[in-house]
Amino acid sequence: MTQIASQGSQSLKPAAESLPSAAEGTMVGNGLGLIFRLARRQWPALAAAAAFAVLAVAFELVPYLAVYRIAVEVFSEAPRPEAMVRLAWLAFGAVVLQFVCIAVSNTVAHAAAFRLLRQVRTELTEKMARLPLGFFDRRESGDLKKALVEDVGSLEGVLAHNIPDIVSGILVPLAAGVALFWVDWRMALASLALLPVGIAAQMWAFRDMDAQYRLWHRTEAAANAGVLEYLRGIAVLKAFNRTAGSLERLRSAVYGVRDVATAMTRRSMYPYALFFIALGSNLLVVLPVGIALHLHGGLGLPQLCLFLVLGAGLTAPLIKLMFVFGSTSRTIMGAGRIQAILDAPPLPEADGPVQPADYGVRFVDVHFSYDGAKSALQQVSFTAQPGRVTALVGPSGAGKSTVARLIARFWDVDAGRVEVGGVDVRALGLEALMGHIGFVFQEVFLLHDSVRENIRLGCAGASDAEVEAAAQAANAHTFIQALPDGYDTQLGDRGARLSGGEKQRLAIARAILKNAPILLLDEATAFADPENELAIQQALAELIQGKTVIVIAHRLASVADADHIVVFNGGTVEDQGTHGELLGRSGTYRRLWAAQQQAVGWTMTTATGEEAHAG
Ligand SMILES: Nc1ncnc2c1ncn2[C@@H]1O[C@H](COP(=O)(O)OP(=O)(O)OP(=O)(O)O)[C@@H](O)[C@H]1O
Ligand SMILES: [Mg+2]
């Protein structure tokens, strides 16, 4: 349970961190900035869309004015029927034009919005290609998918709908207000009498709303994390009969969201009720004031009618405006997430790629920290000779995988340098560097594609026969043929349908196909079953011929005859040398070796442990 909990909270940290309370202000600023920048790029189209939206609302007002004119006719000395028919036709024509304007506004706004969405998606994918791989390592892949699909998608709503809505929601009440003041200023004031109450109610509802929303986002993130943790750990939890206990954690997280939401609703219930009543019922003021003015103030009946139909609806667009602002807040946060990706510092690219002298790898006084606080590597210096096998050993968390990631430039070092063939990896050019390196890492990444294409990732131009030969060499051919569609079997999300050992063998096949001069192997045999382990070792022995190999393995037996062994402990190089030398002088190495011997002894009965040991 504790193990799952700590694992869960560690891997879930980034998700929770994507909504840090301090950075939320900048998220909103960034989001608005992005929306304005995008809107500027297509401003003629968006301005046209807004203009048509305003026209549409202007036409919407025409029937009211027609009713007013008809009322004037009806109450005049000599009503003219043909004038009234003309007004009726005018009203009808205005309604038709209103719908035409809405259609034009929508079409133009959507076309502009989709052009912008395409640009944003292209920019995001281009940006992602230039980001350090570590950037993706650190983030939940769901987070990036959310930015690329959902957040970009919701921008469409703001650009295509809300901009026209906001423009017309502000301009139309203004224009109508001016028109009403021109007709009768006393009645216009009466129409707006409840507006201050509405504004006050709104301010009341929004008092310390910021803090409320932050609390809400934090609780929601915690609940999401709780759900994810529960789903990820469900197998282990079940195995330890702990579902009830963990459900309790999940339940309290979910109830936390409920409590915060209820509290927020309670707080804003009365202000909102007041807001809607104030803006929705100005008839309560318009009617008595209108009747009084009609009886004693010289207000004509037609004017009274006009205010009853138009004045009563004057504040309605403000309600709509408030809904628009409410619904955009999420989108603005999403735009902030997009901007955060666009703003992430890209991996610095070399000016002109340099050719390395050979394929040796050298660490010179390397310091590195993942988060800028806790250092993962300090003063790490060692040399992996070209064409030789260098093994990295050490207890869990010592920094071995970090070393491998730095060679492949998932991250750049904080101080010191990593060299390939005497050239700093930062000067090699990312593409060239990637061309020199093949790797099989602890985490195997598989594409949503066929097995064949997943192996072909190692070498884009490889023929089917070459792919199959690589799979044979990696001892993967047999299990691939047993899959439903053989080499054409589609792999699920992160290769969910394959076992850990099978995924690793695909990664080895990929590396075999790539045939790069530098090979990074991190726990390459960790998941393999005993029968396959030997076959994989043989495949690797074939693969590593003449290459610079940096191998990380917990099974010391498989690295005992490496040319050079580097012992890591707590992020530093504690010692280095050959197996014999290290056994003689390194306490850590002796301990690791003794633990290994015990493990071998423990598995002796399976006979394969003995074989591996003998190697
Ligand atoms: N993506 C990451 N973000 C932050 N810290 C990390 C990350 N990956 C590793 N660390 C930390 O860096 C340190 C070194 O980790 P590393 O993965 O290099 O260890 P390792 O020697 O490969 O361990 P193992 O043998 O268990 O694979 C550890 O303290 C670990 O918690
Ligand atoms: Mg590791």
Side-chain angles (χ1 to χ4, degrees):
M1 181 60 205
T2 40
Q3 191 193 355
I4 267 296
S6 68
Q7 227 178 7
S9 60
Q10 190 188 9
S11 54
L12 287 168
K13 221 167 120 226
E17 268 175 5
S18 67
L19 289 169
S21 55
E24 243 161 57
T26 55
M27 281 283 263
V28 171
N30 280 343
L32 281 175
L34 177 70
I35 290 170
F36 282 126
R37 260 197 308 289
L38 289 176
R40 233 189 5 242
R41 278 194 218 163
Q42 289 283 331
W43 77 264
L46 291 174
F52 275 101
V54 170
L55 269 182
V57 188
F59 283 123
E60 192 182 335
L61 294 176
V62 170
Y64 294 106
L65 291 171
V67 170
Y68 164 63
R69 298 295 308 178
I70 290 172
V72 171
E73 269 314 317
V74 169
F75 294 111
S76 70
E77 313 276 283
R80 292 164 301 162
E82 72 287 350
M84 287 191 259
V85 172
R86 251 205 327 276
L87 284 166
W89 276 110
L90 184 70
F92 176 74
V95 170
V96 172
L97 283 176
Q98 178 197 346
F99 281 104
V100 170
C101 287
I102 288 174
V104 171
S105 170
N106 266 337
T107 314
V108 172
H110 276 95
F114 283 120
R115 273 196 297 277
L116 288 173
L117 295 202
R118 201 173 53 228
Q119 285 174 12
V120 173
R121 287 215 170 91
T122 313
E123 272 166 45
L124 271 178
T125 39
E126 274 170 8
K127 177 67 194 220
M128 283 183 186
R130 288 188 295 125
L131 283 175
L133 285 174
F135 181 87
F136 304 94
D137 199 42
R138 204 178 37 171
R139 241 148 270 246
E140 300 283 309
S141 61
D143 245 27
L144 288 170
K145 189 189 133 244
K146 194 165 148 54
L148 202 59
V149 180
E150 286 173 37
D151 292 341
V152 175
S154 67
L155 274 181
E156 189 262 345
V158 169
L159 294 166
H161 299 277
N162 296 355
I163 289 180
D165 279 354
I166 289 170
V167 172
S168 65
I170 291 170
L171 284 186
V172 171
L174 265 180
V178 168
L180 289 181
F181 268 100
W182 176 66
V183 174
D184 190 300
W185 65 270
R186 297 165 304 179
M187 284 303 290
L189 278 184
S191 309
L192 295 175
L194 289 175
L195 187 60
V197 180
I199 291 174
Q202 185 74 317
M203 280 160 67
W204 182 22
F206 274 125
R207 76 199 183 285
D208 53 60
M209 210 43 166
D210 243 31
Q212 296 263 319
Y213 265 116
R214 268 176 210 167
L215 181 64
W216 162 255
H217 279 307
R218 263 202 302 281
T219 340
E220 201 185 34
N224 284 342
V227 171
L228 270 182
E229 180 184 334
Y230 178 71
L231 289 178
R232 280 190 196 156
I234 197 162
V236 180
L237 292 171
K238 265 185 190 287
F240 288 99
N241 232 346
R242 293 300 268 277
T243 35
S246 54
L247 258 182
E248 202 44 60
R249 280 167 63 105
L250 182 60
R251 185 178 294 140
S252 70
V254 173
Y255 280 1
V257 174
R258 184 200 62 178
D259 293 344
V260 171
T262 317
M264 278 174 77
T265 312
R266 270 220 189 96
R267 278 175 72 90
S268 53
M269 191 162 63
Y270 295 112
Y272 273 125
L274 186 61
F275 175 78
F276 286 117
I277 291 171
L279 293 193
S281 54
N282 53 5
L283 203 59
L284 286 178
V285 181
V286 172
L287 194 58
V289 173
I291 290 172
L293 285 176
H294 177 61
L295 295 179
H296 312 293
L299 180 73
L301 203 51
Q303 284 77 10
L304 177 58
C305 289
L306 177 70
F307 277 99
L308 288 185
V309 289
L310 207 52
L314 189 60
T315 44
L318 297 176
I319 296 180
K320 187 165 125 191
L321 209 57
M322 201 204 68
F323 276 119
V324 169
F325 282 128
S327 73
T328 45
S329 72
R330 250 165 202 280
T331 308
I332 291 170
M333 290 295 254
R337 275 193 289 274
I338 295 173
Q339 192 59 42
I341 296 175
L342 292 176
D343 285 344
L347 211 54
E349 253 303 351
D351 300 332
V354 185
Q355 192 58 35
D358 55 47
Y359 293 109
V361 174
R362 196 155 83 103
F363 270 58
V364 185
D365 228 355
V366 166
H367 288 256
F368 176 73
S369 163
Y370 282 99
D371 51 13
K374 188 171 144 271
S375 95
L377 295 180
Q378 310 114 37
Q379 270 191 307
V380 169
S381 297
F382 70 90
T383 303
Q385 297 291 345
R388 298 288 170 83
V389 176
T390 302
L392 313 182
V393 302
S396 188
K400 309 178 297 288
S401 298
T402 306
V403 165
R405 290 185 198 125
L406 291 182
I407 299 171
R409 260 193 107 191
F410 278 31
W411 302 99
D412 274 339
V413 299
D414 294 333
R417 61 185 188 277
V418 178
E419 291 176 356
V420 167
V423 182
D424 193 315
V425 286
R426 285 167 293 195
L428 271 175
L430 200 54
E431 238 172 278
L433 178 69
M434 284 306 165
H436 302 323
I437 296 177
F439 50 75
V440 179
F441 278 175
Q442 281 173 321
E443 286 244 309
V444 179
F445 180 75
L446 295 172
L447 292 179
H448 263 288
D449 207 336
S450 65
V451 172
R452 193 190 309 282
E453 291 312 316
N454 264 290
I455 298 177
R456 215 195 303 269
L457 221 53
C459 172
S463 69
D464 284 0
E466 284 167 323
V467 168
E468 284 177 34
Q472 292 264 14
N475 197 24
H477 184 69
T478 320
F479 90 77
I480 293 172
Q481 282 199 316
L483 291 172
D485 297 314
Y487 280 87
D488 295 315
T489 309
Q490 294 290 315
L491 297 177
D493 197 14
R494 293 208 161 205
R497 285 191 258 160
L498 296 183
S499 76
E502 289 166 341
K503 283 189 223 174
Q504 286 225 313
R505 276 180 278 166
L506 282 193
I508 293 172
R510 212 183 254 171
I512 289 174
L513 194 62
K514 182 160 181 178
N515 203 21
I518 299 171
L519 200 57
L520 309 176
L521 301 172
D522 194 351
E523 294 279 279
T525 55
F527 291 111
D529 50 87
E531 294 98 80
N532 279 323
E533 181 169 345
L534 197 62
I536 290 179
Q537 292 288 1
Q538 283 165 352
L540 285 176
E542 187 76 17
L543 173 63
I544 66 180
Q545 285 305 315
K547 295 195 170 114
T548 307
V549 180
I550 293 177
V551 57
I552 302 167
H554 286 155
R555 299 154 199 246
L556 258 53
S558 58
V559 297
D561 49 15
D563 299 290
H564 190 64
I565 299 173
V566 187
V567 183
F568 282 84
N569 203 353
T572 56
V573 174
E574 198 178 78
D575 207 340
Q576 43 188 319
T578 60
H579 174 65
E581 290 166 4
L582 291 172
L583 268 188
R585 64 168 188 249
S586 165
T588 305
Y589 191 78
R590 259 202 308 272
R591 254 197 320 281
L592 289 167
W593 180 252
Q596 165 73 27
Q597 293 302 100
Q598 269 170 14
V600 169
W602 194 64
T603 57
M604 198 89 91
T605 47
T606 65
T608 38
E610 183 65 74
E611 268 174 59
H613 174 202

